[in-house]
Amino acid sequence: MLKPMPGFVTETISASRPGHDVRNAGRRDALAIVVLLFAVVLAFQYLGGAFTAELSGYPDEASHYMSGLLVHDYIQGRFPSSPMTFAIQFYLHYPYLAIGHWPPVFYGVEGSWMYLFSTSRIAVLLLMAGITTSLVAMTYFTVQRESGVKLGLLSALLLASIPTVQKFASLVMMDTLLAVLSLWAVLCFARFLDSGRWRDAMSFAGLASVAILTKGNAFFLALVPGIALLMTRRFHLLKRASFWAPAAVVALLCLPWHLMTMGLMLPTFGDHLGVEFTRRAAGFYGALLLKSFGAPILGLAAAGIFTRVIKPFRYKGVDARSAALGSLLASLCIFYCVVPAGIEPRYAIAGFPLLLIFAVAGAVDLAGFLAIVGLSTTTRLRLILAVAVIFFATNVLDRKSVV
Protein backbone atom coordinates (compact mmCIF):
# COMPACT_ATOMS: atom_id res chain seq x y z
CA MET A 1 0.00 0.00 0.00
CA LEU A 2 1.03 3.57 -0.56
CA LYS A 3 2.69 5.25 2.39
CA PRO A 4 0.89 8.43 3.44
CA MET A 5 2.58 11.56 2.21
CA PRO A 6 4.14 13.73 4.89
CA GLY A 7 1.71 15.78 6.95
CA PHE A 8 1.86 19.54 6.96
CA VAL A 9 3.42 19.61 10.42
CA THR A 10 6.21 17.12 9.80
CA GLU A 11 7.10 18.65 6.47
CA THR A 12 8.00 21.99 7.99
CA ILE A 13 9.30 21.48 11.48
CA SER A 14 11.51 19.09 13.37
CA ALA A 15 9.90 16.48 15.58
CA SER A 16 12.41 17.39 18.26
CA ARG A 17 10.72 20.73 18.96
CA PRO A 18 8.59 21.08 22.08
CA GLY A 19 4.98 20.02 21.71
CA HIS A 20 3.48 23.50 21.83
CA ASP A 21 5.90 24.68 19.11
CA VAL A 22 4.79 21.79 16.93
CA ARG A 23 1.12 22.67 17.43
CA ASN A 24 1.73 26.37 16.81
CA ALA A 25 3.68 25.65 13.63
CA GLY A 26 0.88 23.34 12.49
CA ARG A 27 -1.69 26.08 13.06
CA ARG A 28 0.42 28.59 11.15
CA ASP A 29 0.77 26.22 8.20
CA ALA A 30 -2.94 25.46 8.25
CA LEU A 31 -3.74 29.18 8.30
CA ALA A 32 -1.38 29.75 5.38
CA ILE A 33 -3.20 27.07 3.38
CA VAL A 34 -6.58 28.67 4.14
CA VAL A 35 -5.29 32.10 3.09
CA LEU A 36 -3.96 30.60 -0.13
CA LEU A 37 -7.30 28.96 -0.88
CA PHE A 38 -9.14 32.22 -0.13
CA ALA A 39 -6.86 34.00 -2.61
CA VAL A 40 -7.64 31.34 -5.24
CA VAL A 41 -11.39 31.78 -4.74
CA LEU A 42 -11.03 35.58 -4.98
CA ALA A 43 -9.02 35.18 -8.19
CA PHE A 44 -11.78 33.07 -9.73
CA GLN A 45 -14.34 35.68 -8.67
CA TYR A 46 -12.30 38.43 -10.31
CA LEU A 47 -11.68 36.46 -13.51
CA GLY A 48 -15.39 35.68 -13.71
CA GLY A 49 -16.31 39.36 -13.54
CA ALA A 50 -18.10 39.06 -10.21
CA PHE A 51 -17.04 42.46 -8.90
CA THR A 52 -18.51 44.32 -11.87
CA ALA A 53 -21.70 42.27 -12.30
CA GLU A 54 -25.23 43.14 -11.22
CA LEU A 55 -27.34 41.05 -8.88
CA SER A 56 -28.77 39.22 -11.85
CA GLY A 57 -26.72 36.05 -12.17
CA TYR A 58 -29.65 33.98 -10.93
CA PRO A 59 -33.37 34.81 -10.50
CA ASP A 60 -33.21 34.49 -6.68
CA GLU A 61 -30.00 36.46 -6.18
CA ALA A 62 -31.46 39.95 -5.75
CA SER A 63 -34.10 38.73 -3.27
CA HIS A 64 -31.39 37.01 -1.21
CA TYR A 65 -29.42 40.26 -1.10
CA MET A 66 -32.51 42.30 -0.10
CA SER A 67 -33.38 39.82 2.65
CA GLY A 68 -29.89 40.19 4.08
CA LEU A 69 -30.32 43.97 3.87
CA LEU A 70 -33.56 43.61 5.83
CA VAL A 71 -31.68 41.89 8.67
CA HIS A 72 -28.92 44.52 8.49
CA ASP A 73 -31.41 47.38 8.82
CA TYR A 74 -33.19 45.64 11.67
CA ILE A 75 -29.90 45.28 13.59
CA GLN A 76 -28.73 48.78 12.73
CA GLY A 77 -32.06 50.22 13.92
CA ARG A 78 -31.54 48.51 17.30
CA PHE A 79 -34.54 46.20 16.80
CA PRO A 80 -37.14 48.99 16.57
CA SER A 81 -40.21 46.71 16.50
CA SER A 82 -41.21 43.09 16.24
CA PRO A 83 -39.49 41.23 13.38
CA MET A 84 -42.78 40.75 11.51
CA THR A 85 -43.82 44.40 11.80
CA PHE A 86 -40.40 45.57 10.60
CA ALA A 87 -40.40 43.08 7.72
CA ILE A 88 -43.83 44.27 6.55
CA GLN A 89 -42.72 47.90 6.58
CA PHE A 90 -39.50 47.00 4.76
CA TYR A 91 -41.45 45.03 2.15
CA LEU A 92 -43.72 48.02 1.47
CA HIS A 93 -40.62 49.98 0.44
CA TYR A 94 -38.67 47.11 -1.19
CA PRO A 95 -41.16 44.45 -2.34
CA TYR A 96 -38.65 41.77 -3.27
CA LEU A 97 -37.81 39.50 -0.32
CA ALA A 98 -37.06 35.80 -0.03
CA ILE A 99 -37.12 35.38 3.75
CA GLY A 100 -40.21 33.42 4.68
CA HIS A 101 -40.05 31.49 1.46
CA TRP A 102 -36.58 30.41 2.58
CA PRO A 103 -35.46 29.88 6.21
CA PRO A 104 -33.63 32.64 8.11
CA VAL A 105 -30.06 31.41 8.78
CA PHE A 106 -28.43 32.58 5.55
CA TYR A 107 -30.03 35.99 5.88
CA GLY A 108 -28.92 36.22 9.49
CA VAL A 109 -25.33 35.51 8.46
CA GLU A 110 -25.54 37.90 5.53
CA GLY A 111 -27.20 40.71 7.50
CA SER A 112 -24.72 40.40 10.37
CA TRP A 113 -21.83 40.53 7.89
CA MET A 114 -23.32 43.65 6.33
CA TYR A 115 -23.64 45.25 9.77
CA LEU A 116 -20.00 44.52 10.62
CA PHE A 117 -18.54 45.54 7.26
CA SER A 118 -20.72 47.06 4.53
CA THR A 119 -23.89 46.57 2.53
CA SER A 120 -21.95 46.90 -0.73
CA ARG A 121 -21.98 44.08 -3.26
CA ILE A 122 -18.20 43.73 -2.91
CA ALA A 123 -18.55 43.17 0.84
CA VAL A 124 -21.19 40.50 0.26
CA LEU A 125 -19.04 38.86 -2.42
CA LEU A 126 -16.23 38.63 0.12
CA LEU A 127 -18.68 36.79 2.38
CA MET A 128 -19.48 34.39 -0.45
CA ALA A 129 -15.73 33.93 -1.04
CA GLY A 130 -15.31 33.11 2.64
CA ILE A 131 -18.12 30.54 2.53
CA THR A 132 -16.67 28.93 -0.60
CA THR A 133 -13.21 28.90 0.99
CA SER A 134 -14.71 27.11 4.00
CA LEU A 135 -15.97 24.31 1.75
CA VAL A 136 -12.68 24.10 -0.12
CA ALA A 137 -10.64 24.14 3.12
CA MET A 138 -12.79 21.42 4.70
CA THR A 139 -12.09 19.27 1.66
CA TYR A 140 -8.37 19.97 2.04
CA PHE A 141 -8.27 19.03 5.73
CA THR A 142 -10.37 15.90 5.22
CA VAL A 143 -8.00 14.60 2.54
CA GLN A 144 -4.85 15.89 4.25
CA ARG A 145 -5.47 13.93 7.44
CA GLU A 146 -5.29 10.66 5.55
CA SER A 147 -3.22 11.33 2.45
CA GLY A 148 -1.00 14.32 3.21
CA VAL A 149 -0.71 17.97 2.27
CA LYS A 150 -0.05 17.57 -1.44
CA LEU A 151 -3.11 15.46 -2.17
CA GLY A 152 -5.19 17.61 0.16
CA LEU A 153 -4.15 20.76 -1.67
CA LEU A 154 -4.76 19.16 -5.06
CA SER A 155 -8.29 18.14 -4.10
CA ALA A 156 -9.01 21.64 -2.73
CA LEU A 157 -7.76 23.37 -5.87
CA LEU A 158 -9.75 21.03 -8.09
CA LEU A 159 -12.90 21.79 -6.09
CA ALA A 160 -12.35 25.54 -6.35
CA SER A 161 -11.85 25.16 -10.12
CA ILE A 162 -15.15 23.41 -10.86
CA PRO A 163 -17.19 25.82 -13.01
CA THR A 164 -20.36 25.42 -10.93
CA VAL A 165 -18.45 26.15 -7.73
CA GLN A 166 -16.85 29.19 -9.37
CA LYS A 167 -20.21 30.49 -10.55
CA PHE A 168 -21.96 30.23 -7.20
CA ALA A 169 -18.97 31.69 -5.35
CA SER A 170 -19.76 34.83 -7.35
CA LEU A 171 -23.49 34.88 -6.62
CA VAL A 172 -25.43 35.75 -3.47
CA MET A 173 -26.91 32.28 -3.07
CA MET A 174 -27.19 29.88 -0.15
CA ASP A 175 -26.25 26.54 -1.73
CA THR A 176 -22.54 26.69 -0.88
CA LEU A 177 -23.29 27.46 2.78
CA LEU A 178 -25.65 24.48 2.75
CA ALA A 179 -22.80 22.31 1.42
CA VAL A 180 -20.43 23.56 4.17
CA LEU A 181 -22.90 22.81 6.96
CA SER A 182 -23.83 19.41 5.54
CA LEU A 183 -20.22 18.23 5.25
CA TRP A 184 -19.43 19.56 8.72
CA ALA A 185 -22.47 17.79 10.16
CA VAL A 186 -21.58 14.38 8.73
CA LEU A 187 -17.98 14.67 9.91
CA CYS A 188 -19.40 15.17 13.41
CA PHE A 189 -21.61 12.13 12.90
CA ALA A 190 -18.54 10.13 11.90
CA ARG A 191 -17.01 10.99 15.27
CA PHE A 192 -20.22 9.88 16.95
CA LEU A 193 -20.07 6.52 15.20
CA ASP A 194 -16.63 5.98 16.69
CA SER A 195 -17.26 7.43 20.14
CA GLY A 196 -20.99 7.19 20.86
CA ARG A 197 -20.59 10.43 22.84
CA TRP A 198 -23.43 12.85 23.48
CA ARG A 199 -21.17 15.74 22.51
CA ASP A 200 -20.69 14.41 18.98
CA ALA A 201 -24.38 13.54 18.62
CA MET A 202 -25.39 17.06 19.67
CA SER A 203 -22.82 18.59 17.32
CA PHE A 204 -24.43 16.68 14.47
CA ALA A 205 -27.89 17.72 15.64
CA GLY A 206 -26.94 21.38 15.92
CA LEU A 207 -25.23 21.58 12.53
CA ALA A 208 -28.02 19.62 10.83
CA SER A 209 -30.55 22.02 12.33
CA VAL A 210 -28.62 25.07 11.14
CA ALA A 211 -28.36 23.50 7.66
CA ILE A 212 -32.10 22.82 7.51
CA LEU A 213 -32.81 26.37 8.68
CA THR A 214 -30.53 27.57 5.88
CA LYS A 215 -32.43 25.68 3.23
CA GLY A 216 -35.05 22.97 3.48
CA ASN A 217 -33.15 20.78 1.02
CA ALA A 218 -30.93 19.84 3.96
CA PHE A 219 -33.62 17.42 5.11
CA PHE A 220 -31.54 14.93 3.12
CA LEU A 221 -29.43 14.76 6.30
CA ALA A 222 -32.26 12.77 7.89
CA LEU A 223 -31.16 9.82 5.75
CA VAL A 224 -27.53 9.91 6.89
CA PRO A 225 -27.74 8.15 10.31
CA GLY A 226 -29.64 5.12 9.03
CA ILE A 227 -27.45 4.60 5.97
CA ALA A 228 -24.23 5.12 7.95
CA LEU A 229 -25.37 2.71 10.66
CA LEU A 230 -26.11 0.08 8.03
CA MET A 231 -22.68 0.59 6.44
CA THR A 232 -20.76 0.34 9.71
CA ARG A 233 -22.95 -2.41 11.23
CA ARG A 234 -22.71 -0.67 14.59
CA PHE A 235 -26.27 -1.54 15.48
CA HIS A 236 -25.52 -1.38 19.20
CA LEU A 237 -25.84 2.39 18.86
CA LEU A 238 -29.58 1.91 18.35
CA LYS A 239 -29.83 1.14 22.06
CA ARG A 240 -28.39 4.55 23.03
CA ALA A 241 -30.48 7.63 23.56
CA SER A 242 -27.67 9.68 22.03
CA PHE A 243 -28.43 8.09 18.64
CA TRP A 244 -32.08 9.17 18.70
CA ALA A 245 -31.66 12.55 20.37
CA PRO A 246 -30.56 14.43 17.20
CA ALA A 247 -33.89 13.60 15.55
CA ALA A 248 -35.74 15.18 18.47
CA VAL A 249 -33.50 18.26 18.42
CA VAL A 250 -33.94 18.78 14.69
CA ALA A 251 -37.71 18.30 14.94
CA LEU A 252 -37.96 20.80 17.79
CA LEU A 253 -35.82 23.46 16.10
CA CYS A 254 -36.75 23.05 12.44
CA LEU A 255 -40.26 21.69 12.01
CA PRO A 256 -42.11 24.78 13.35
CA TRP A 257 -40.56 27.04 10.71
CA HIS A 258 -41.02 24.61 7.83
CA LEU A 259 -44.58 23.72 8.77
CA MET A 260 -45.40 27.43 9.03
CA THR A 261 -43.95 28.21 5.58
CA MET A 262 -44.95 25.01 3.80
CA GLY A 263 -47.72 26.83 1.96
CA LEU A 264 -45.15 29.15 0.40
CA MET A 265 -42.74 26.38 -0.56
CA LEU A 266 -44.81 23.54 -2.00
CA PRO A 267 -46.40 25.59 -4.83
CA THR A 268 -42.90 26.30 -6.19
CA PHE A 269 -42.28 22.61 -6.91
CA GLY A 270 -42.30 22.57 -10.69
CA ASP A 271 -42.23 18.77 -11.09
CA HIS A 272 -44.20 15.78 -9.90
CA LEU A 273 -43.05 12.82 -7.83
CA GLY A 274 -42.53 9.78 -9.99
CA VAL A 275 -40.32 7.66 -12.20
CA GLU A 276 -40.16 10.27 -14.96
CA PHE A 277 -38.72 12.90 -12.62
CA THR A 278 -36.19 10.42 -11.22
CA ARG A 279 -35.10 9.45 -14.72
CA ARG A 280 -34.59 13.05 -15.80
CA ALA A 281 -32.82 14.02 -12.57
CA ALA A 282 -30.44 11.05 -12.70
CA GLY A 283 -29.58 11.78 -16.32
CA PHE A 284 -29.03 15.48 -15.68
CA TYR A 285 -26.78 15.04 -12.63
CA GLY A 286 -24.85 12.22 -14.26
CA ALA A 287 -24.09 14.42 -17.28
CA LEU A 288 -23.22 17.36 -14.99
CA LEU A 289 -20.71 15.30 -13.00
CA LEU A 290 -19.10 13.98 -16.16
CA LYS A 291 -18.83 17.51 -17.54
CA SER A 292 -17.51 18.90 -14.24
CA PHE A 293 -14.89 16.26 -13.41
CA GLY A 294 -14.13 14.25 -16.53
CA ALA A 295 -14.29 10.48 -16.80
CA PRO A 296 -10.94 9.72 -15.06
CA ILE A 297 -11.82 11.51 -11.80
CA LEU A 298 -15.28 9.95 -11.75
CA GLY A 299 -13.65 6.58 -12.33
CA LEU A 300 -11.28 7.18 -9.43
CA ALA A 301 -14.21 8.24 -7.24
CA ALA A 302 -15.99 5.00 -8.13
CA ALA A 303 -12.82 3.08 -7.27
CA GLY A 304 -12.59 4.91 -3.94
CA ILE A 305 -16.22 4.14 -3.13
CA PHE A 306 -15.57 0.50 -3.95
CA THR A 307 -12.39 0.16 -1.86
CA ARG A 308 -13.55 2.28 1.09
CA VAL A 309 -17.29 1.48 1.23
CA ILE A 310 -18.49 -1.46 -0.87
CA LYS A 311 -15.62 -3.90 -0.28
CA PRO A 312 -15.38 -3.34 3.51
CA PHE A 313 -19.17 -3.57 3.82
CA ARG A 314 -19.08 -7.07 2.35
CA TYR A 315 -16.72 -8.32 5.05
CA LYS A 316 -16.54 -6.41 8.33
CA GLY A 317 -18.26 -3.05 8.01
CA VAL A 318 -17.12 0.36 6.80
CA ASP A 319 -14.98 2.70 8.88
CA ALA A 320 -16.89 5.62 10.42
CA ARG A 321 -15.44 8.38 8.26
CA SER A 322 -16.00 6.61 4.94
CA ALA A 323 -19.46 5.53 6.05
CA ALA A 324 -20.47 9.08 6.99
CA LEU A 325 -19.19 10.54 3.72
CA GLY A 326 -20.70 7.71 1.70
CA SER A 327 -24.04 8.05 3.44
CA LEU A 328 -24.13 11.78 2.67
CA LEU A 329 -23.40 11.06 -0.99
CA ALA A 330 -26.14 8.41 -1.07
CA SER A 331 -28.57 10.76 0.69
CA LEU A 332 -27.93 13.51 -1.85
CA CYS A 333 -28.52 11.10 -4.73
CA ILE A 334 -31.75 9.79 -3.23
CA PHE A 335 -33.13 13.19 -2.25
CA TYR A 336 -32.41 15.07 -5.46
CA CYS A 337 -33.50 12.20 -7.71
CA VAL A 338 -36.74 11.56 -5.81
CA VAL A 339 -38.01 14.83 -4.30
CA PRO A 340 -39.36 16.98 -7.17
CA ALA A 341 -37.92 20.25 -5.90
CA GLY A 342 -36.27 21.02 -9.22
CA ILE A 343 -33.23 19.89 -11.18
CA GLU A 344 -30.41 22.42 -10.90
CA PRO A 345 -26.58 22.35 -11.11
CA ARG A 346 -26.25 24.16 -7.76
CA TYR A 347 -27.77 21.18 -5.96
CA ALA A 348 -24.67 19.15 -6.87
CA ILE A 349 -22.29 21.46 -5.00
CA ALA A 350 -22.74 19.50 -1.76
CA GLY A 351 -21.65 16.33 -3.56
CA PHE A 352 -18.54 17.70 -5.27
CA PRO A 353 -16.25 17.51 -2.18
CA LEU A 354 -17.37 13.95 -1.47
CA LEU A 355 -16.49 12.76 -4.96
CA LEU A 356 -13.06 14.40 -4.78
CA ILE A 357 -12.36 12.86 -1.37
CA PHE A 358 -13.26 9.40 -2.70
CA ALA A 359 -11.32 10.07 -5.92
CA VAL A 360 -8.11 10.71 -3.95
CA ALA A 361 -8.72 7.52 -1.95
CA GLY A 362 -9.33 5.63 -5.19
CA ALA A 363 -6.13 6.98 -6.74
CA VAL A 364 -4.07 5.99 -3.69
CA ASP A 365 -5.57 2.49 -3.59
CA LEU A 366 -5.25 1.99 -7.35
CA ALA A 367 -1.60 3.06 -7.30
CA GLY A 368 -0.91 0.51 -4.60
CA PHE A 369 -2.77 -2.20 -6.49
CA LEU A 370 -1.37 -1.76 -10.00
CA ALA A 371 1.83 -3.62 -10.85
CA ILE A 372 3.93 -1.67 -13.37
CA VAL A 373 7.49 -2.90 -13.73
CA GLY A 374 10.11 -0.33 -12.82
CA LEU A 375 7.71 2.21 -11.32
CA SER A 376 7.35 2.94 -7.63
CA THR A 377 3.93 3.30 -6.00
CA THR A 378 4.43 7.07 -5.72
CA THR A 379 5.27 7.32 -9.42
CA ARG A 380 2.20 5.29 -10.34
CA LEU A 381 0.08 7.62 -8.21
CA ARG A 382 1.53 10.67 -9.94
CA LEU A 383 0.78 9.21 -13.37
CA ILE A 384 -2.79 8.38 -12.41
CA LEU A 385 -3.39 11.86 -11.02
CA ALA A 386 -1.71 13.52 -14.01
CA VAL A 387 -4.11 11.84 -16.43
CA ALA A 388 -7.10 12.73 -14.24
CA VAL A 389 -6.06 16.37 -13.87
CA ILE A 390 -5.45 16.77 -17.62
CA PHE A 391 -8.98 15.59 -18.40
CA PHE A 392 -10.35 17.80 -15.61
CA ALA A 393 -8.49 20.86 -16.91
CA THR A 394 -9.83 20.26 -20.40
CA ASN A 395 -13.37 20.46 -19.05
CA VAL A 396 -12.66 23.56 -16.94
CA LEU A 397 -11.03 25.42 -19.83
CA ASP A 398 -14.03 24.64 -21.99
CA ARG A 399 -16.27 27.55 -20.97
CA LYS A 400 -19.30 25.69 -22.29
CA SER A 401 -19.06 23.56 -19.14
CA VAL A 402 -19.84 26.57 -16.96
CA VAL A 403 -23.38 26.04 -15.70
Side-chain angles (χ1 to χ4, degrees):
M1 294 296 291
L2 177 69
K3 295 181 180 179
M5 292 191 175
F8 64 88
V9 174
T10 55
E11 283 184 346
T12 55
I13 58 177
S14 169
S16 63
R17 286 189 178 185
H20 71 277
D21 288 343
V22 172
R23 289 190 295 272
N24 288 338
R27 293 189 187 101
R28 287 194 299 271
D29 290 345
L31 179 60
I33 291 291
V34 172
V35 171
L36 171 64
L37 295 175
F38 183 67
V40 169
V41 173
L42 284 178
F44 281 130
Q45 284 185 326
Y46 177 79
L47 293 173
F51 296 105
T52 57
E54 300 291 337
L55 292 165
S56 57
Y58 196 86
D60 293 340
E61 187 182 12
S63 64
H64 290 323
Y65 175 84
M66 293 304 298
S67 297
L69 188 62
L70 163 68
V71 175
H72 162 271
D73 288 359
Y74 189 61
I75 297 172
Q76 190 174 55
R78 301 293 188 270
F79 314 104
S81 62
S82 70
M84 182 61 73
T85 300
F86 187 86
I88 292 172
Q89 290 300 316
F90 189 94
Y91 181 81
L92 292 175
H93 292 84
Y94 307 102
Y96 196 47
L97 297 177
I99 191 169
H101 181 82
W102 300 112
V105 166
F106 178 79
Y107 307 122
V109 172
E110 183 187 11
S112 300
W113 178 273
M114 288 177 170
Y115 178 74
L116 292 174
F117 298 101
S118 168
T119 60
S120 69
R121 175 168 171 76
I122 291 178
V124 178
L125 281 174
L126 291 176
L127 169 64
M128 300 311 301
I131 292 172
T132 304
T133 301
S134 298
L135 183 64
V136 172
M138 289 175 69
T139 304
Y140 163 77
F141 286 115
T142 302
V143 173
Q144 178 270 330
R145 288 188 183 98
E146 180 174 332
S147 302
V149 171
K150 295 176 182 178
L151 292 181
L153 192 56
L154 175 63
S155 63
L157 293 175
L158 290 178
L159 178 60
S161 302
I162 295 174
T164 305
V165 174
Q166 291 183 43
K167 177 178 179 179
F168 284 92
S170 300
L171 301 178
V172 185
M173 300 289 287
M174 56 183 65
D175 300 276
T176 306
L177 178 59
L178 177 65
V180 170
L181 294 168
S182 301
L183 180 56
W184 194 0
V186 299
L187 291 174
C188 289
F189 191 75
R191 290 200 297 269
F192 170 75
L193 289 172
D194 277 332
S195 69
R197 294 179 302 189
W198 274 92
R199 182 177 67 185
D200 296 324
M202 289 300 98
S203 295
F204 170 70
L207 288 166
S209 297
V210 175
I212 293 169
L213 288 174
T214 296
K215 193 171 185 180
N217 300 47
F219 274 113
F220 57 66
L221 289 169
L223 302 175
V224 167
I227 297 174
L229 202 68
L230 180 63
M231 288 181 178
T232 58
R233 302 183 184 179
R234 299 178 188 183
F235 299 113
H236 65 278
L237 292 173
L238 290 170
K239 300 178 182 179
R240 299 191 181 187
S242 56
F243 177 82
W244 300 100
V249 172
V250 170
L252 179 65
L253 295 178
C254 301
L255 286 184
W257 175 276
H258 285 282
L259 291 174
M260 181 176 64
T261 61
M262 186 181 298
L264 297 173
M265 177 59 64
L266 291 181
T268 65
F269 282 24
D271 291 285
H272 299 284
L273 184 68
V275 175
E276 175 59 22
F277 173 80
T278 299
R279 183 191 64 78
R280 287 193 296 110
F284 175 85
Y285 291 119
L288 174 67
L289 295 178
L290 183 60
K291 185 184 295 185
S292 300
F293 290 107
I297 287 183
L298 286 184
L300 292 175
I305 292 170
F306 176 78
T307 59
R308 302 303 173 97
V309 177
I310 297 175
K311 186 177 178 181
F313 176 74
R314 294 172 57 191
Y315 297 103
K316 58 180 180 179
V318 186
D319 69 271
R321 175 182 168 277
S322 298
L325 296 173
S327 64
L328 177 57
L329 185 59
S331 299
L332 289 167
C333 293
I334 293 169
F335 185 89
Y336 286 121
C337 288
V338 174
V339 178
I343 302 175
E344 306 228 18
R346 57 196 172 113
Y347 295 160
I349 293 175
F352 289 157
L354 307 173
L355 290 171
L356 284 169
I357 291 167
F358 280 116
V360 170
V364 170
D365 294 341
L366 185 61
F369 174 78
L370 290 176
I372 303 176
V373 177
L375 295 181
S376 66
T377 303
T378 301
T379 302
R380 294 197 295 267
L381 176 61
R382 289 172 178 168
L383 288 174
I384 291 169
L385 291 175
V387 172
V389 170
I390 289 171
F391 274 83
F392 176 88
T394 301
N395 286 343
V396 170
L397 293 175
D398 178 10
R399 303 313 297 173
K400 293 180 182 179
S401 68
V402 178
V403 289

